[in-house]
Amino acid sequence: MATKYSYKYFQVHFPADHAYVAHVEINRADKMNAFFEAMWLELAQLFNQLSTDPSVRAILLTGAGEKAFTAGLDVHAASQGLLSPDSNDSADSARKASHLRRHISSFQDCISAVERCEKPVISAMHGFALGLAIDLSTATDVRICARNTKFAVKEVDIGLAADIGTLSRLPKVVGNNGWVKEVALTARVFGAEEAEKVGFVNAVYEDKKRTVEAGLALAKVMAEKSPVAVQGTKEILNWSRDHSVQDGLRYTTVWNSAALQTKDVSDALLSGIQKRKPTFEKL
Amino acid sequence: MATKYSYKYFQVHFPADHAYVAHVEINRADKMNAFFEAMWLELAQLFNQLSTDPSVRAILLTGAGEKAFTAGLDVHAASQGLLSPDSNDSADSARKASHLRRHISSFQDCISAVERCEKPVISAMHGFALGLAIDLSTATDVRICARNTKFAVKEVDIGLAADIGTLSRLPKVVGNNGWVKEVALTARVFGAEEAEKVGFVNAVYEDKKRTVEAGLALAKVMAEKSPVAVQGTKEILNWSRDHSVQDGLRYTTVWNSAALQTKDVSDALLSGIQKRKPTFEKL
Amino acid sequence: MATKYSYKYFQVHFPADHAYVAHVEINRADKMNAFFEAMWLELAQLFNQLSTDPSVRAILLTGAGEKAFTAGLDVHAASQGLLSPDSNDSADSARKASHLRRHISSFQDCISAVERCEKPVISAMHGFALGLAIDLSTATDVRICARNTKFAVKEVDIGLAADIGTLSRLPKVVGNNGWVKEVALTARVFGAEEAEKVGFVNAVYEDKKRTVEAGLALAKVMAEKSPVAVQGTKEILNWSRDHSVQDGLRYTTVWNSAALQTKDVSDALLSGIQKRKPTFEKL
Amino acid sequence: MATKYSYKYFQVHFPADHAYVAHVEINRADKMNAFFEAMWLELAQLFNQLSTDPSVRAILLTGAGEKAFTAGLDVHAASQGLLSPDSNDSADSARKASHLRRHISSFQDCISAVERCEKPVISAMHGFALGLAIDLSTATDVRICARNTKFAVKEVDIGLAADIGTLSRLPKVVGNNGWVKEVALTARVFGAEEAEKVGFVNAVYEDKKRTVEAGLALAKVMAEKSPVAVQGTKEILNWSRDHSVQDGLRYTTVWNSAALQTKDVSDALLSGIQKRKPTFEKL
Amino acid sequence: MATKYSYKYFQVHFPADHAYVAHVEINRADKMNAFFEAMWLELAQLFNQLSTDPSVRAILLTGAGEKAFTAGLDVHAASQGLLSPDSNDSADSARKASHLRRHISSFQDCISAVERCEKPVISAMHGFALGLAIDLSTATDVRICARNTKFAVKEVDIGLAADIGTLSRLPKVVGNNGWVKEVALTARVFGAEEAEKVGFVNAVYEDKKRTVEAGLALAKVMAEKSPVAVQGTKEILNWSRDHSVQDGLRYTTVWNSAALQTKDVSDALLSGIQKRKPTFEKL
Amino acid sequence: MATKYSYKYFQVHFPADHAYVAHVEINRADKMNAFFEAMWLELAQLFNQLSTDPSVRAILLTGAGEKAFTAGLDVHAASQGLLSPDSNDSADSARKASHLRRHISSFQDCISAVERCEKPVISAMHGFALGLAIDLSTATDVRICARNTKFAVKEVDIGLAADIGTLSRLPKVVGNNGWVKEVALTARVFGAEEAEKVGFVNAVYEDKKRTVEAGLALAKVMAEKSPVAVQGTKEILNWSRDHSVQDGLRYTTVWNSAALQTKDVSDALLSGIQKRKPTFEKL
């Protein structure tokens, strides 16, 4: 299995006792898993592959090493690239703007690959989870973390409004707009407990090890359900977030007009009656 | 009063000391108030009647018996109907899809009758509140529950994405998208305390009896206010949920251009000064 | 500085040790800071001025006196004006409706000036914070309060649906729709603790003095960041609240295509490396 | 067939040589087919029945008699009902508004039944086609007319803004907003030629007889195609009118994920190769 | 009457035989009615005044002199102001962007005052109608022109995308997106006949004199109708342009719940029966 | 130049006397330019390359050979692929639906690459322009055609609702919804004259040769303007199509806050005064 997933900046594991679960690890521990362009391009490629791999039904995303889920953008790399005043050859502001739009769009699109992935994605965070860590984890479906996690919407500290997803997704993840404004406008660090209180993470665990175990266990539960049901649920929830209730209901109707024809329904019902675990065809 | 409300699967009470309050009870205790098609058709008819009945200003919705608010869809009935692979005579997938769309839309529409009802609806839950219980209660305005309530977005366990409202309404009821994703993707049971913590219910009471009393008391408070003000408030909040702030403000303006012409305003102001309870004309 | 800000119903201070922070005080303590028309017209004028004043980077809004942030609409004044049945000379309901629409729109627009203000606004509340206090504070970015604060969405008690912003903004500020419905449909008073629990306020402080100090400290942190970054963050968060994630991402891209050309980015990065506070050009 | 369709104000024919085509005639020729409440209630019932009748694949809507498609609202009946100042027992403007909202919504919903009907509807008009005629025909998919047709958005002439659909649908039917504004703000009569020029009707025929024949011929063409394809096309076009291109594309994808599984596709392809008319299973 | 309307760059006439009609003339004929900042600020003030003046029910907008409706932006003035590279004191691109946003928004808002005006506005154009002429006339409800009119979406010729309304409104005024793209991307001049063919103008008249007369006649017809009906029609059509049919229908319902309470309805009905012109109370 | 553009199914020319114009030819004349999967994948790749190539400012799209712009989907290839009942290995309808969604989305996305291309695209059609030809040309900015062109929204004839863009884009390209419904529900062929009358094409030319020349001439005009202005105009028009006027205005403001900083504006103004052609820096 894992041999299909050969990436430079990400390790993909398939834990033996967690059928259909893929464990993706950001793999640049020596730099606190800080991201530069080659990494987010690879991230998109990886999640596109996972999205349609019938051997995968749920995904866990973690960061290698003890220090950080990810410390965010590799500012050193960025200051020589995107954020460098001299990175575009034109001196014309409008032309610079055009290059910046292309660059930001492409970057956003890579992170959005995690949201577009048809399978549910759980992020299990620890240590530093700054800047891009928020963009990335808000594109996952469920967030959990270790007690030592230090979060920050760091971007205003480097002179910019967060533009890779945080400002668009965080207010729809957390139902406390005042808190979102505060952490985004001050860049202050917040911890695991606060993250749980406002609903940014679903649960807090003692340390990284237990967080990853909990993430795997959660992924396993999702992977044991009908993939037709699970993937439909993710898609409809994402659609509903961005539409009226009326449009959400209609989309659900149309979606389920195909999905309800699956034999997973009768398999699941029968297994329920027979009190055994159902098995489902790949998807 | 109650004689106007003769339904097979629902009891409607008008508690003597709660003027203008209707208490609707799901009345199939022997089957844990599980729903089948005749019931949701009746539910819609009932709430349409309540919606325009001038003797009703607030509604409480509960389930009969000690065991359940509702255990959800009556899977036995459903497996012989909607979810049966042979329920549509055509073997053509597109034609089956067409029949399923009509069926799901009609079912959704029945549950949405609770949301469309012009009067506020409070659901007071206890015992099992599974599957359809979530669809139904998210269509009410306020949810409260007894300490023993067991909730679950149960649908993925029977191989399908919840399609009668939960996936469209729950994320707009509860401001914690990660939690919504978790409970919808795992079908795990959650209790009263967790429901309160995430904001799914407004309050938890010791047992069913006290929950129903609290629901009646809350309905009574709403029923004592100007019905012009209360019904306008429900409508504008539902509209605002699905529109931008700008569109919400404009709709409010147009709504209130008629509503502010009521004499309830001067009656309420005068009563306030005279420190007595106002009475309002029926609506 | 302060001489530029000469208003009748609002005091504007520029605390010496809080560079770029404006402190706006509602200044009608003898009437519990209750609002009438001249006040909200002045409020709009004031926030329009603050919005483009390059000497201002963050704003604190408080109420004068010990009793109230604001007791809301001055009902006495209103009952002689807007809410008076005789305030429009025509007896024709449609013509009255037309006058009411103009009046409500104009009133809403004044309060929306706080939201439109390009600089972040923090409201620090104490004592009574009723009716219009909710409309007003939901138009600010962050809300904090003193332990003694008494909040209420008071409007149904005077026979009307709140129409100056509360019903459109409160559900997008607080991710607990059932709670919003309850307090809006009952007009019941809620305290500081409950306000914090549901996420209406970010924090609660011992008394008014400490609340104001905390508000100033928070404003100071925001005022020390790059104004390009801070003002962009406020704008994008407000846009994202009312749009899909996709539209939010695109707007962010276009916004930052100009904003990222600021030298604040390199100044902030350099200051970070040199571990000193950056200074930023006015905006 | 036709015996299933027994209505008082509408005749339903099934022309022998037009398989799957239903011809609905507004049947109150002595009053120029003017509508009153019982008629629009019946209209909704009729189109709901047609919508799911597998023997129907396309519908033609015409008016009986030589004088009018419909002269619109029966003003005599209306002035004793809806438009009567005394029709609601309350003297309170807000309560009157509430009754009016219920009434208008119910009326709109009856006309929208034509749009919601899953089968395509062609309206073939002649003579007077005033007021409600525009509301009604803009809810159909295709409009044609006889040379003698006299159209008018008549409502401003009786002191009201058209509220049964014209103002919402006409601007989306006709791509000339200035013309829509002109005819709606002046109530002036326009003829068949002008209607064709601005795209309100697809074609003009010499007289009523030829218009009806052309309508039947057009319905016949639609009825000969795969009903899966035709009904999907109507639905997706209506959805796309009200959504962004992006949302339209996505909805189409989800819709066709079931519809493309039909064997109508292979039947149609095969018939194409064999140069014969395909037959399709009922829907 | 006219003495109430004392403006420097606009003449306001009240033609004796056109009751309730205001004729606004752009009054800078020596410069082909080209606009600079003081003019659009005055334009907004003027239309705000007309919007609520009960003596005004319809408005005609024309340009003084024989040469031009308006030649657009006064490029000479603009090149010393807005479009000047040195017009903002900061050298920082992000700060310049901030100033430009404020400036463009304020300019747009002035032109939008014409659209927001509660009374219908007809623009009658002649001669040159370039650049801003398109922004301005698309904000009016109906456009007519003289045969000699020369139109152009001129902005790409001076290096910018039209930003005062043309690109947002023209595609919603004219239902031919390819034509809109062509004229906006090439800046080519088009004449009256082409403007009529694509639906940009409703009618073409022989010369300026006859165009103005036709505009006055059209305004007169609108001014003779119930102002409740006319103003409601304009508002609902503008709302519907920007919303789904469903949202349009609902808004109409709420609007008319107040408007239908007018006695204009019974006055209009009675006048119809008595075949005389109704008179309506001011609005 | 052209050597950079080496594609199998598309020829890219750079006509010598049309600086900055790319001429793309669909290059499968022996099969009437019918599309199969490899072709639309290549199409997307090609337009992505053109989108950011600074040597390209406008694009013409034509079909090779005399017979067809494109006859649409290669049904032979499709019947062995996508439309084949056996193309997915699973027998489960829900799993088939999942594969179909991925396939349709990917196909749509390839055609949307033409719309997303930052440079304006003109399609010049001739001969057969069926099915996919409509999907493809509605994704271009301007359509012109030869007198002999035969158009059809062909999909219902092969048992399916058009799903690659026609049903979402055609109603927004052409302001005649009844006509769109008719041609989409009947699949009837329509000619160049009708296409021009309804606004589907901007102009009709005598034969293919003259159509291509006219297309090149039009592209040349666009390529001579400031690329900052042209590309901004395309983007803002596409955004405005899918948003309210208010959202369109705001997006324009933010876009132009960067774009107006270009020196193209002063270059264009100066060239205008000096009556010479401006030259603009690449973009």
Side-chain angles (χ1 to χ4, degrees), chain E residues 217-235:
Chain E
L218 185 52
K220 191 182 179 182
V221 175
M222 295 179 187
E224 287 168 355
K225 311 290 174 188
S226 152
V228 170
V230 162
Q231 293 168 30
T233 297
K234 171 170 178 170
E235 166 72 14

Side-chain angles (χ1 to χ4, degrees), chain D residues 4-175:
Chain D
K4 292 194 304 186
Y5 287 89
S6 172
Y7 289 88
K8 186 162 178 195
Y9 302 108
F10 298 89
Q11 289 272 359
V12 186
H13 314 280
F14 293 87
D17 49 346
H18 292 72
Y20 296 109
V21 172
H23 178 182
V24 174
E25 203 179 34
I26 312 170
N27 191 28
R28 199 186 176 217
D30 58 327
K31 296 287 187 186
M32 297 211 294
N33 295 318
F35 274 69
F36 56 98
E37 190 165 12
M39 286 176 78
W40 62 74
L41 292 171
E42 211 177 84
L43 178 83
Q45 203 185 330
L46 167 54
F47 274 89
N48 288 342
Q49 187 180 350
L50 291 163
S51 184
T52 59
D53 183 337
S55 305
V56 174
R57 292 191 182 167
I59 298 159
L60 179 69
L61 177 66
T62 65
E66 283 305 311
K67 285 201 195 139
F69 172 67
T70 167
L73 195 65
D74 184 326
V75 173
H76 183 71
S79 67
Q80 296 176 332
L82 168 63
L83 297 176
S84 155
D86 308 321
S87 66
N88 304 310
D89 28 2
S90 171
D92 191 67
S93 285
R95 284 167 174 80
K96 272 189 191 161
S98 190
H99 291 125
L100 284 164
R101 277 194 304 271
R102 288 172 193 164
H103 188 91
I104 301 168
S105 275
S106 151
F107 192 173
Q108 287 176 346
D109 204 54
C110 290
I111 301 304
S112 293
V114 177
E115 185 173 290
R116 276 196 311 268
C117 173
E118 298 181 6
K119 320 298 168 54
V121 184
I122 298 154
S123 47
M125 298 176 275
H126 73 284
F128 290 105
L130 309 177
L132 192 61
I134 312 295
D135 297 286
L136 183 54
S137 64
T138 52
T140 66
D141 298 291
V142 173
R143 285 152 301 283
I144 60 177
C145 74
R147 189 160 306 286
N148 75 343
T149 319
K150 299 285 170 231
F151 299 99
V153 181
K154 201 63 189 161
E155 283 83 349
V156 294
D157 265 354
I158 54 168
L160 52 91
D163 54 3
I164 308 306
T166 290
L167 300 186
S168 297
R169 288 196 182 96
L170 187 56
K172 309 207 172 190
V173 156
V174 166

Side-chain angles (χ1 to χ4, degrees), chain B residues 139-199:
Chain B
T140 68
D141 298 291
V142 173
R143 286 151 301 281
I144 59 176
C145 74
R147 189 159 308 284
N148 75 343
T149 320
K150 299 285 170 230
F151 300 99
V153 180
K154 201 64 188 160
E155 283 84 349
V156 294
D157 266 355
I158 53 167
L160 52 92
D163 53 4
I164 308 305
T166 291
L167 300 187
S168 297
R169 289 197 182 94
L170 186 56
K172 308 208 172 190
V173 156
V174 167
N176 182 329
N177 205 259
W179 179 83
V180 169
K181 287 250 174 94
E182 184 196 327
V183 296
L185 290 167
T186 63
R188 78 162 166 81
V189 170
F190 58 95
E193 201 178 340
E194 182 175 348
E196 190 187 16
K197 188 184 148 204
V198 299

Side-chain angles (χ1 to χ4, degrees), chain B residues 5 9-10 15-16 22 76 82 88 117 119 172 187 269 271:
Chain B
Y5 288 89
Y9 303 108
F10 299 89
H76 184 72
L82 167 63
N88 303 310
C117 174
K119 320 297 168 54
K172 308 208 172 190
L269 286 172
S271 303

Side-chain angles (χ1 to χ4, degrees), chain C residues 15-203:
Chain C
D17 48 347
H18 293 72
Y20 295 109
V21 172
H23 178 181
V24 174
E25 203 179 34
I26 312 169
N27 192 28
R28 201 188 175 215
D30 57 328
K31 298 285 186 187
M32 297 211 292
N33 295 319
F35 274 70
F36 56 97
E37 190 165 12
M39 286 175 77
W40 62 74
L41 291 171
E42 210 177 85
L43 179 83
Q45 204 185 331
L46 166 54
F47 275 89
N48 288 342
Q49 186 179 353
L50 291 163
S51 184
T52 58
D53 182 338
S55 307
V56 174
R57 292 190 182 168
I59 299 158
L60 179 69
L61 177 65
T62 65
E66 282 305 312
K67 286 203 194 137
F69 172 67
T70 168
L73 195 65
D74 184 326
V75 174
H76 184 72
S79 67
Q80 296 176 331
L82 167 63
L83 298 176
S84 156
D86 309 320
S87 66
N88 303 311
D89 27 3
S90 171
D92 191 68
S93 285
R95 284 167 175 79
K96 273 189 188 161
S98 189
H99 291 125
L100 284 164
R101 277 194 304 270
R102 288 171 193 163
H103 189 91
I104 301 168
S105 276
S106 152
F107 192 172
Q108 286 176 346
D109 204 55
C110 289
I111 301 304
S112 293
V114 177
E115 185 174 290
R116 276 196 311 269
C117 174
E118 298 180 6
K119 320 296 168 55
V121 184
I122 298 156
S123 47
M125 298 177 275
H126 74 284
F128 290 105
L130 308 178
L132 191 60
I134 311 295
D135 297 287
L136 183 54
S137 64
T138 53
T140 67
D141 297 292
V142 173
R143 285 152 301 283
I144 59 177
C145 74
R147 189 160 308 284
N148 75 342
T149 318
K150 299 285 170 232
F151 299 99
V153 180
K154 201 62 189 161
E155 283 84 349
V156 295
D157 265 355
I158 54 167
L160 52 92
D163 55 3
I164 308 305
T166 291
L167 300 187
S168 298
R169 289 197 182 95
L170 186 57
K172 309 207 172 192
V173 156
V174 166
N176 183 330
N177 206 261
W179 179 84
V180 169
K181 288 250 173 94
E182 185 196 327
V183 296
L185 290 166
T186 63
R188 79 162 166 81
V189 169
F190 58 95
E193 201 178 340
E194 182 175 348
E196 189 186 17
K197 189 184 147 204
V198 299
F200 178 65
V201 299
N202 285 28

